[in-house]
Amino acid sequence: MYLMLTKRGPVFLADTTVNFNPTAEELAEITLLVAKEVRNFNIIPRIAMLSYSNFGSSDSPEARLVAEARKIVKQRLPTLIVDGEMQASVALNKELMRENYPFSELVDKDVNTLIFPNLSSGNIAYNLLKELEAAEAIGPILLGLKKPVHILQLGTSVRNIVNMATIAVVDAQLKGQSATKEMVKRSPWWKRLKTKEQTNL
């Protein structure tokens, strides 16, 4: 995932680094991982799942894959604000969305997370934004790992090194809290305490 600092605010892009041609299930998992990470930035994720098709305007396997991924996401997390498949221009243009797709749950919402159908499209988009100086890129932010591991791109700037170090520290703190909770739950005294509580009920 990349965090792009744009004139319209932070925009998160995925997948830009790891998964070449994800299945619908994998794309759904990517979306859920990104949503969780966006929340770690204290931002409510509003997610557009991108394609060259808009809500079934094309019946191609590629377009159906994105639509299926969105369906899986909604089954797993119904409260998540996510829609697609849709073109990037529709996702980022509220007027276009309102006029043509008033049924979308992204109508009148500022989309801040873009999920791409494959690695090629995501990587091209982030590099275009960065090289055209339309946004400052922070990343790649690796998701789904048990440990706080992150990487730096070739030729990365000092500013990006500082940004990624900060993200790595926060990631380590969050994962450390989760690990501590799991250790506590597995400890013998915690089990004895829970057993005692249940006995007293």
Side-chain angles (χ1 to χ4, degrees), residues 1-4 12-23 26-35 47-50 66 113-127 139-144 151 153:
M1 179 185 83
Y2 265 85
L3 164 56
M4 309 301 289
F12 299 85
L13 311 182
D15 183 356
T16 54
T17 312
V18 178
N19 298 281
F20 289 98
N21 290 294
T23 63
E26 289 167 342
L27 197 59
E29 186 63 29
I30 290 165
T31 304
L32 292 167
L33 284 170
V34 170
I47 304 170
M49 301 187 73
L50 302 181
V66 178
T113 307
L114 303 174
I115 302 296
F116 293 88
N118 54 46
L119 182 63
S120 292
S121 56
N123 193 272
I124 289 166
Y126 117 76
N127 274 300
I141 302 167
L142 300 181
L143 306 176
I151 58 175
Q153 296 283 41

Side-chain angles (χ1 to χ4, degrees), residues 97-114:
M97 174 83 77
R98 192 185 315 111
E99 287 178 3
N100 295 281
Y101 308 102
F103 55 83
S104 173
E105 63 181 281
L106 291 173
V107 167
D108 292 325
K109 290 185 171 61
D110 293 313
V111 170
N112 57 24
T113 307
L114 303 174

Side-chain angles (χ1 to χ4, degrees), residues 179-195:
T180 301
K181 286 176 185 175
E182 285 303 311
M183 285 173 63
V184 167
K185 286 179 183 176
R186 287 198 301 263
S187 66
W189 68 265
W190 176 261
K191 289 175 183 174
R192 285 196 302 272
L193 178 65
K194 297 309 285 182
T195 305

Side-chain angles (χ1 to χ4, degrees), residues 3 10 12 27 36-37 45 51 72 75 87 92 104 109 112 126 133 146 149 175-176:
L3 164 56
F12 299 85
L27 197 59
K36 182 179 178 184
E37 188 68 19
S51 176
I72 294 168
Q75 286 170 350
Q87 294 177 359
L92 299 173
S104 173
K109 290 185 171 61
N112 57 24
Y126 117 76
E133 298 182 353
K146 290 183 179 178
V149 178
K175 285 176 176 161

Side-chain angles (χ1 to χ4, degrees), residues 43-71:
I43 295 172
I44 297 170
R46 293 182 291 274
I47 304 170
M49 301 187 73
L50 302 181
S51 176
Y52 55 82
S53 169
N54 288 308
F55 301 101
S57 63
S58 170
D59 194 37
S60 70
E62 295 88 354
R64 288 200 308 270
L65 184 144
V66 178
E68 178 62 24
R70 189 262 178 182
K71 185 178 175 184

